[in-house]
Amino acid sequence: MQKISEQAAGQDHDADLIEFLEGSDEVETDALSTEPPWRILIVDDDADVHKATELAMQGLRVEGRPLAFLHASSAAEARVLLRTEPDLAVALLDVVMESEDAGLRLVRYIRENLQQHAIRIVLRTGQPGYAPEIETVQAYDINDYKTKSELTRTRLYTVLTAAIRSYKQICALESNRQGLELIVEGSAELSQLRGLQRFAEGVVTQLCALLGMLPEGLVCAQGAHGDGTGTADARIVAAAGQFSSLIDTPLSAVQLPHVRERLQRCLELKQHVLDDGNCLYFGLSNGRAIAALVDAGRPLSPVDLQLLRAFCSNIAVGFENVLLYSQLLDQAYNDQLLRLPNRLRFIELLDQNLQDPEGVTLALIDLDDFSDINDAFGHSFGDQVLQAVVQRLGSELGFHTSMARVAADVFGLIGPDALVNASTIPAVFVEPFDVAGERLQLSATTGLVRLADSSSIGSELLLDAQIALKRAKQKHRGASEYFSPAMGTDARERFKLLKGLRAGFEEQRLFVVYQPQVDLASGQAIGAEALLRWRREDGSFVPPDQFIPLAEQSGLIISIGEFVLRTACHQLKRMEQSGLHDFRMCVNISLAQFRHIGFIDSLNAALRDTEVNPANLELEITESMAMDDTELVLHLLADIKRTGATVAIDDFGTGFSSLSHLRQLEVERLKIDRAFVHEAQTSSAGLTIAQMVINLGRGLGLRVIAEGVETEEQRQQLLALGCHEGQGWLFAKPMQAEQLERWMEEKRG
Ligand code: C2E
Ligand code: MG
Ligand code: MG
């Protein structure tokens, strides 16, 4: 009590100082402010101390906020309050209460048991002898120690102010730390959200968490063009709480003027607008921007703002990533030139249509000779042609159909039978197209699938359409063909076969056999034809007539052909080494192989590596190959001739050779197709043809060999007709290398 009166007396001395302070910024007494008060806990067993403290501090403010006092008259009471009352800024503690060190024990309780580190502690004691050790002050984070007599009103105020300030800083640091944690967590979570809308939603949620409010009152808008006028196309991409209904609304159509105007202002100024309305700005690449509006319902504190800035710089990167990702998605699913779905997306569309396939048709429309247009007029003209076609297709068939670009010059169309059919599509191409001032007559070939006719899913459905398209192409340009299940099995079988062939080649189940060729008169062996064999895993054979065309179509023939050529050359070398210096090895060369750019090189390499006599190697090309594309063939034949190898025209008589062309070809031999050998024996017309073919060859100075000689009669007949060489079952069937060697030995012996 005494001390209190002393303090009250001291008050007078400081009265002028207080007046000064009251007039200053620090000490505002404006009661209108709604700022929450600083909560001060007074712990003292002397009731007068409570009253005096409260009286002395009455009406004073610290950092613009009033003070509120809580009272405890013992350490025990204080413990209860400390446990239950949140946000206590300062505790003014009496040291000596229930016991001599009750105050100090309370301090330990606050720091150690309650783990409250923010609350500031000021110790007050009546007796100077009870001062805590310096270590205690440090260990328990005690702000101040004063004897009650020291604490005049002014001093008390000063002490309290200092304590409150440091409390405020500690809190700021703490919420900063928590906020940063939220940012880190939030960014990690956000980085998993891929769609722009979901990401924006995530931003709403994270921002609100950061500001400690419910996820609402936030709207994002996207301006696609940052040209300063670019809020016209801005849209709400995400909104939460009371604003949720605004999602996908154009910004200009938002009926809440305060929301609309703030977002627009933010996008126009290209910066955060934080004075009224807390609108955050995220500038992105390509002039795009996002504005996020947080209606916190209160002004943002400096800590809030600081966190928001950190958050924004993090999130801008995230937005950028999301946009890039959506761009990637767009590129993955859309054709960039024609702004149509691409093949992948089209397959998805097909799958969706399959849920109700009745009355729906899929068409693949392939522009005829598009590559010629590209070659002749350039690619940019070609692009314009495609655009014109898309436009025409769209305007004539577009309303209830979906269109896609499934390959360079192939469009996919899916829609009702009445719109997508074999007459509507060709009709689109009847009128010429106007492209860059040119009038262009285009045509297209179409493959169609009635969805109900096919049991396939999206990608296979497209395959079905491709099969039909291929059939149509085989008819003529501009044709249309509907898919039938029979076509499908056929094509699928071939696909399976090709897969098997590829595996078979890799697993070395392809091998070469040799069929001897003989002098028809003496029966002497003069050479052999290398023939390819494919034995499947189950031991069955696939005839070359079946798999060679497949290998050709797929390009596999290039490697397979090289394998045969090399194998045959190795075998030839063995024959030469066994003393058969004139042995002729014939190797079939397919069209694709013959025309392949590396063919002459690979021929030279095979000859060089095996060191055979090139004159002993004969390449068989078919008659149709020899007659094709004159210039190229002439060049190739000349190139082959330079290697030293010879050429025979296989299956002669089946193609329609131009005699004048035949005359120009640098070939050695004609190989009469076995059909004529057979015909010659059974009909007189056949005999005449065989005779003509043989005479033709001889007339051109070529050697003639007959294949498919099965009977003695045929041998005699061929001899009579003037054909001197032959190959056929009469002499030997195709055989493995070792067998061939034995067969040759026997012949010689
Ligand atoms: P090709 O070049 O006309 O081969 C002659 C075909 O007639 C061979 O059929 C042969 O086994 C068959 N043959 C031989 N003597 C007789 C006979 O007396 N009567 C009958 N009915 N047939 C006989 P294969 O081996 O089935 O080959 C068929 C076709 O496959 C070949 O016709 C050739 O065009 C192609 N081919 C075979 N191997 C290869 C190769 O390594 N590369 C290329 N590109 N094509 C090959
Ligand atoms: Mg042949
Ligand atoms: Mg033949």
Side-chain angles (χ1 to χ4, degrees), residues 152-164:
T152 60
R153 186 181 179 219
T154 307
R155 293 248 171 79
L156 181 59
Y157 179 75
T158 315
V159 165
L160 214 50
T161 302
I164 285 174

Side-chain angles (χ1 to χ4, degrees), residues 18-67:
I18 296 291
E19 264 165 41
F20 165 73
L21 286 172
E22 277 177 341
S24 80
D25 287 348
E26 296 273 5
V27 187
E28 299 158 36
T29 46
D30 177 12
L32 291 172
S33 166
T34 52
E35 284 276 356
W38 301 112
R39 286 152 62 84
I40 318 289
L41 174 63
I42 304 172
V43 188
D44 208 303
D45 54 358
D46 184 342
D48 289 343
V49 173
H50 288 270
K51 276 191 218 131
T53 308
E54 202 165 343
L55 204 66
M57 296 296 113
Q58 201 171 37
L60 295 183
R61 300 177 142 254
V62 177
E63 301 264 303
R65 288 164 61 177
L67 306 175

